[in-house]
Tab-separated table of all heavy atoms in Angstrom:
chain	number	residue	atom	x	y	z
N	1	MET	N	62.621	152.378	109.932
N	1	MET	CA	63.244	151.628	110.945
N	1	MET	C	63.737	152.536	112.031
N	1	MET	O	64.328	153.538	111.814
N	1	MET	CB	64.474	150.941	110.278
N	1	MET	CG	65.340	150.115	111.249
N	1	MET	SD	66.470	149.071	110.337
N	1	MET	CE	67.172	150.188	109.184
N	20	ILE	N	78.789	151.580	113.675
N	20	ILE	CA	79.359	150.429	112.868
N	20	ILE	C	80.349	149.651	113.741
N	20	ILE	O	80.429	148.429	113.723
N	20	ILE	CB	79.964	150.956	111.557
N	20	ILE	CG1	78.889	151.507	110.667
N	20	ILE	CG2	80.652	149.770	110.883
N	20	ILE	CD1	79.435	152.161	109.402
N	37	ASN	N	61.955	142.879	110.372
N	37	ASN	CA	61.604	141.508	110.534
N	37	ASN	C	62.656	140.750	111.379
N	37	ASN	O	62.276	139.975	112.227
N	37	ASN	CB	61.450	140.830	109.163
N	37	ASN	CG	60.187	141.300	108.464
N	37	ASN	OD1	59.223	141.697	109.043
N	37	ASN	ND2	60.164	141.143	107.152
N	72	ASN	N	75.627	139.308	152.463
N	72	ASN	CA	76.601	138.551	153.283
N	72	ASN	C	78.043	138.958	152.926
N	72	ASN	O	78.891	139.054	153.894
N	72	ASN	CB	76.401	137.070	153.126
N	72	ASN	CG	75.126	136.582	153.767
N	72	ASN	OD1	74.609	137.141	154.700
N	72	ASN	ND2	74.576	135.508	153.231
N	145	ASP	N	93.696	133.320	125.656
N	145	ASP	CA	93.815	132.416	126.821
N	145	ASP	C	94.809	132.993	127.865
N	145	ASP	O	94.622	132.852	129.059
N	145	ASP	CB	94.276	131.037	126.378
N	145	ASP	CG	93.137	130.252	125.743
N	145	ASP	OD1	92.013	130.743	125.738
N	145	ASP	OD2	93.394	129.210	125.185
N	174	GLN	N	60.658	125.732	123.177
N	174	GLN	CA	59.727	125.663	124.279
N	174	GLN	C	60.055	126.701	125.295
N	174	GLN	O	61.242	126.976	125.571
N	174	GLN	CB	59.756	124.282	124.957
N	174	GLN	CG	59.248	123.169	124.089
N	174	GLN	CD	59.224	121.822	124.848
N	174	GLN	OE1	59.504	121.821	126.054
N	174	GLN	NE2	58.992	120.790	124.184
N	205	PHE	N	74.622	138.060	127.603
N	205	PHE	CA	75.367	138.062	128.793
N	205	PHE	C	75.658	139.514	129.233
N	205	PHE	O	75.533	139.874	130.447
N	205	PHE	CB	76.705	137.358	128.551
N	205	PHE	CG	77.574	137.211	129.775
N	205	PHE	CD1	77.143	136.506	130.934
N	205	PHE	CD2	78.846	137.776	129.830
N	205	PHE	CE1	77.939	136.369	132.056
N	205	PHE	CE2	79.639	137.687	130.937
N	205	PHE	CZ	79.218	137.007	132.072
N	247	ASP	N	61.673	137.027	153.328
N	247	ASP	CA	62.030	137.671	151.997
N	247	ASP	C	60.842	138.505	151.511
N	247	ASP	O	59.678	138.228	151.846
N	247	ASP	CB	62.188	136.504	150.998
N	247	ASP	CG	63.432	135.635	151.278
N	247	ASP	OD1	64.411	136.203	151.806
N	247	ASP	OD2	63.346	134.480	151.010
N	258	PHE	N	58.327	154.833	148.221
N	258	PHE	CA	59.465	155.711	148.309
N	258	PHE	C	60.680	155.109	147.594
N	258	PHE	O	61.437	155.859	146.943
N	258	PHE	CB	59.781	156.006	149.765
N	258	PHE	CG	60.967	156.957	149.921
N	258	PHE	CD1	60.816	158.323	149.674
N	258	PHE	CD2	62.240	156.473	150.205
N	258	PHE	CE1	61.900	159.220	149.773
N	258	PHE	CE2	63.360	157.350	150.266
N	258	PHE	CZ	63.157	158.730	150.087
N	286	ASP	N	60.307	172.021	113.235
N	286	ASP	CA	60.521	173.455	113.370
N	286	ASP	C	61.114	174.016	112.070
N	286	ASP	O	62.049	174.861	112.150
N	286	ASP	CB	61.399	173.793	114.592
N	286	ASP	CG	60.688	173.449	115.874
N	286	ASP	OD1	59.458	173.459	115.918
N	286	ASP	OD2	61.424	173.179	116.869
N	326	ASP	N	52.757	165.188	132.552
N	326	ASP	CA	52.867	164.645	131.204
N	326	ASP	C	54.256	164.894	130.619
N	326	ASP	O	54.740	164.115	129.779
N	326	ASP	CB	51.797	165.301	130.253
N	326	ASP	CG	50.473	164.801	130.564
N	326	ASP	OD1	50.266	163.716	131.178
N	326	ASP	OD2	49.497	165.479	130.140
Side-chain angles (χ1 to χ4, degrees):
M1 177 166 49
I20 294 172
N37 288 336
N72 290 333
D145 286 352
Q174 294 183 7
F205 184 62
D247 295 326
F258 181 77
D286 294 333
D326 290 339

